Structure formats: C-alpha cells, structure tokens
C-alpha cells in the first residue's frame, strides 16, 4: 500500500513575482482553493493519508493552511460561510501533515532526498503541486491510477504525456519498451533535452511513485542538468538496475508553474468544477 506522499515545495516561484514575493506559489488560488490543496486532495483520493512537505524559507503559509485556525473557526461558526471550510477541515481531520526544510536549493532530487526522514522506508508518492491534474467525473485520480499500477508491478512509476517536439527542454523525457497500451518499461531518461537529443516525445509530469531504494541512489547521484541533483538521473539508475515504469495517465494536466497554464487551469476549474458545485 502507498500511504505517504511527499510534496517538494521549497521553490521560489519567481515566474509569478511579484505575487510570490511574500506568499508561496503553492498557496496561489486556482479559483478559490490553493494549488497545493488540489494535490493533497488527489493523493487523498488515492488512499494516501500521510503527507510530507519539503519546505523552505517563506513557506509558513503552507503549514498554516493544513492546520486549524481557531480564530477563523470561531468567527464564522454558525454562519453560511462555514461550509467554505469543509474541504480543508476534512483533509486536516483525516490526514497527518509533517514538514521539513530544504536549506539549499540543489534540485528536485535533493529535495526528495531531504524528505527521506518523512517517508522512512516505504514506497511513497511525489506530487509537484505546479502540475494540476484533473480527471473526468467518476474516473480515478491520476495518482489513484498510478497506485493501482504500483500494486500490480511493485516498482517506481512516473506519469508521462506526449508533448510537442519543441517542448522537450522543459521536462524529463523517457524512452521505453511498450508493455501494454500507455505503459512502458523505461530504458532511457534524459532531463530537459533539446529536441534533437530527446529519446521520444514522452515527457514526465509531476507525479511519481518511488520505491525507497531511490534514496541510496539519490545519495550517489552527481549533479546533472543545470548543476542540480536530478530525480531523473536517479530513476535512470533504478531503471537500469531493475524496473521503472512510465504511465500515460488518463486525465488532463495543467502546467500551473507557468502563467498561461495557471490561467487555463483557472478557467477550466471555474467552468467545470466551481460552477457545478454552486
Ligand atoms: C521537474 C523534473 C522534470 C519533470 C518536471 C515535471 O522539472 O526535473 O523531469 O519533467 O518536473 O513538471 P521542473 O519543472 O521542476 O524544472
């Protein structure tokens, strides 16, 4: 069973300045809910109940969001506004949240390694909150789809999607042997390749299931692309030693790390989720 999920949330969010000057980018609202809460809800829908966050300076608001605000509760008790807190209250009551700090920015691999003591020796999920994933009504959340696969194959899994050739430089890109529709056994993985160096057009998005041997591999991973410790490199080592799967998920992903993707997600959630719940 996958019970734990790690959120690396130490990044500065410079693309959203000045909005992110005093506020974590993960707290930016998509309509009326912070980006990071969508990720926690997705994981929760996959049966995960223990959450770990790798934070940094200026990220206190994330801890506060997953804690009860007594003054606020008191203030709106009995009013029509109480229901607006239902979704976050449910998450707080049904899950645990733990936080640790990454005090140097040395890449996603380093951030995940920093979360080791929160994940202990269990297989765990990783969500990059910038990637907001939605699925059709009645469909499993993207992470729930991956957990089902994990239960079948018991190895690390990355979520992938096809991207246009001129976009490969933004992602980790895989090559793999097709196992069945939408499922590949990874044979190669390159972090942010130029189109001419990309082994395919299958890009990794911010959803991973990792077996705990990834930590040893990360400890022995040299800085790679941009001088950072890359999870992509550790996963390639894992793929070579054993098995890593790449899964073309059912659903839609918005790149909320970019202004365009954030606005698209906002419009989509407003039209397809928010309005339906009014
Ligand atoms: C990270 C990973 C990359 C992956 C991407 C998905 O990059 O390093 O392999 O494709 O997340 O969002 P970042 O977007 O943090 O630069």
């Amino acid at each position: 069973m996958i019970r734990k999920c790690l959120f690396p949330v130490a990044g500065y969010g410079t693309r959203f300045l000045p909005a992110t000057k005093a506020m974590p980018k993960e707290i930016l609202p998509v309509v009326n809910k912070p980006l990071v809460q969508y990720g926690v809800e997705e994981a929760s829908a996959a049966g995960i109940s223990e959450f770990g966050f790798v934070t940094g300076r200026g990220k206190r608001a994330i801890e506060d969001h997953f804690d009860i605000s007594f003054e606020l509760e008191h203030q709106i008790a009995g009013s029509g506004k109480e229901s607006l807190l239902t979704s976050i209250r449910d998450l707080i009551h049904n899950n645990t949240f733990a936080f640790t700090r990454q005090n140097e920015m040395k890449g996603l691999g380093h951030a995940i390694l920093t979360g080791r003591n929160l994940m202990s020796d269990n297989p765990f999920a990783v969500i990059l909150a910038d990637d907001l994933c939605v699925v059709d009504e009645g469909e499993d959340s993207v992470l729930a789809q991956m957990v089902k696969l994990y239960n079948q194959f018991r190895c690390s899994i990355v979520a992938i999607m096809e991207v246009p050739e001129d976009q490969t430089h933004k992602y980790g890109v895989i090559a793999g042997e097709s196992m069945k529709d939408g499922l590949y056994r990874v044979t190669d993985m390159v972090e942010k390749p130029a189109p001419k160096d990309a082994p395919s057009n299958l890009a990794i998005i911010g959803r991973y299931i990792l077996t705990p041997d990834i930590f040893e591999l990360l400890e022995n991973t040299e800085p790679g692309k941009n001088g950072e410790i890359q999870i992509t490199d550790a996963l390639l080592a894992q793929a070579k030693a054993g098995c890593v799967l790449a899964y073309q998920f059912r659903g839609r992903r918005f790149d909320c790390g970019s202004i365009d993707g954030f606005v698209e997600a906002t419009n989509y959630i407003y039209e397809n989720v928010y309005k339906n719940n009014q």
Side-chain angles (χ1 to χ4, degrees):
M1 268 304 281
I2 307 286
R3 285 183 293 110
K4 292 177 184 255
C5 183
L6 190 67
F7 283 76
V9 292
Y12 296 127
T14 45
R15 268 186 273 183
F16 284 87
L17 284 170
T20 47
K21 180 166 177 271
M23 181 172 74
K25 64 173 172 173
E26 296 80 9
I27 293 293
L28 292 174
V30 175
V31 187
N32 59 347
K33 200 187 281 181
L35 198 43
V36 67
Q37 191 179 328
Y38 289 93
V40 170
E41 287 177 354
E42 180 188 330
S44 176
I48 288 169
S49 60
E50 296 172 39
F51 293 90
F53 294 78
V54 179
T55 71
R57 285 180 293 282
K59 298 284 181 167
R60 270 282 304 279
I62 299 175
E63 287 185 48
D64 290 342
H65 188 69
F66 293 103
D67 191 7
I68 292 181
S69 167
F70 288 103
E71 301 88 82
L72 186 61
E73 297 267 344
H74 178 74
Q75 187 76 33
I76 65 174
S79 81
K81 294 204 173 122
E82 236 185 321
S83 63
L84 296 176
L85 284 181
T86 307
S87 66
I88 185 65
R89 259 193 204 153
D90 288 350
L91 288 178
I92 292 169
H93 286 134
N94 297 326
N95 301 285
T96 62
F97 299 88
F99 300 84
T100 192
R101 278 196 180 200
Q102 183 186 16
N103 37 36
E104 286 175 290
M105 294 299 170
K106 291 204 237 164
L108 180 57
H110 179 256
I112 292 173
L113 188 54
T114 305
R116 184 177 196 166
N117 59 349
L118 300 180
M119 296 296 106
S120 31
D121 222 9
N122 303 300
F124 61 101
V126 175
I127 288 187
L128 307 184
D130 278 357
D131 283 339
L132 195 160
C133 291
V134 295
V135 291
D136 290 343
E137 187 79 32
E139 176 73 271
D140 285 340
S141 76
V142 171
L143 204 57
Q145 296 169 35
M146 294 172 73
V147 165
K148 277 190 181 160
L149 274 178
Y150 174 80
N151 290 339
Q152 196 182 345
F153 293 98
R154 308 265 154 191
C155 57
S156 291
I157 307 170
V158 296
I160 51 166
M161 60 182 247
E162 287 184 17
V163 294
E165 205 182 287
D166 63 356
Q167 299 289 305
T168 57
H169 67 285
K170 294 184 180 166
Y171 301 93
V173 178
I174 69 126
E177 291 160 6
S178 175
M179 293 172 64
K180 59 178 180 181
D181 233 18
L183 189 65
Y184 299 83
R185 189 187 168 115
V186 171
T187 53
D188 196 9
M189 233 182 213
V190 187
E191 180 66 9
K192 304 198 172 86
K196 67 175 177 33
D197 302 322
S200 74
N201 66 340
L202 297 172
I204 302 169
I205 65 136
R207 298 290 181 278
Y208 304 78
I209 287 180
L210 301 174
T211 53
D213 54 310
I214 199 73
F215 292 123
E216 287 299 319
L217 294 165
L218 278 169
E219 277 189 339
N220 294 309
T221 299
E222 296 294 329
K225 188 84 182 181
N226 301 328
E228 296 179 334
I229 296 175
Q230 299 293 351
I231 188 64
T232 306
D233 295 340
L235 278 165
L236 179 58
Q238 204 177 39
K240 285 190 169 152
C243 179
V244 171
L245 299 179
Y247 169 59
Q248 218 166 343
F249 60 96
R250 298 184 302 277
R252 204 169 157 172
R253 168 260 189 186
F254 295 95
D255 174 14
C256 290
S258 75
I259 302 274
D260 288 349
F262 194 93
V263 172
E264 271 171 44
T266 302
N267 288 332
Y268 182 91
I269 298 280
Y270 178 68
E271 290 297 335
N272 298 284
V273 182
Y274 179 78
K275 272 188 176 173
N276 293 344
N277 293 334
Q278 291 311 294

